[in-house]
Amino acid sequence: MNAPDSPDELIRAAAESILRRLAGEKVPEAALRSVVHMVDNDEAELAVDDLARAIEYHRIRIQRTEYDQIAAAAEQLGALDSLAEVRIDRLIGD
């Protein structure tokens, strides 16, 4: 089992939080579930990139805690460029 602050768990937590928060709304559920599936298949770095791109493409408002989880995972994976490219920080809307 992964540590609670491992990149896998941070990405999973952020994606699942967004899914729960937006339940019942028109949201890219398949893309977010795909992120969780990538984590399950030990593809955390790809999952960070896909999650950031899904958030940016669909203009999903994210909470500060979700962003912090994604950023912490990206930092641990050396994938901060994924966040810098799409600038999902501008979509934080607590």
Side-chain angles (χ1 to χ4, degrees):
M1 181 167 199
N2 293 317
D5 58 352
S6 73
D8 292 354
E9 291 305 314
L10 290 166
I11 298 164
R12 176 190 305 282
E16 289 177 346
S17 173
I18 295 167
L19 279 166
R20 278 190 309 275
R21 193 168 41 78
L22 300 179
E25 293 184 28
K26 186 176 179 182
V27 65
E29 184 174 341
L32 295 172
R33 292 208 183 280
S34 174
V35 167
V36 174
H37 183 69
M38 286 179 196
V39 170
D40 291 343
N41 288 302
D42 295 324
E43 298 174 337
E45 191 169 338
L46 289 173
V48 167
D49 188 58
D50 275 17
L51 181 55
R53 292 184 188 285
I55 290 167
E56 193 273 333
Y57 180 80
H58 296 284
R59 300 284 191 249
I60 299 170
R61 302 297 292 172
I62 57 174
Q63 296 177 340
R64 168 60 65 183
T65 55
E66 294 162 348
Y67 176 80
D68 290 345
Q69 290 169 324
I70 297 165
E75 183 174 13
Q76 290 180 44
L77 295 167
L80 284 172
D81 56 328
S82 293
L83 300 187
E85 285 177 21
V86 296
R87 295 200 46 239
I88 64 168
D89 57 322
R90 70 188 195 289
L91 296 170
I92 297 169
D94 286 331

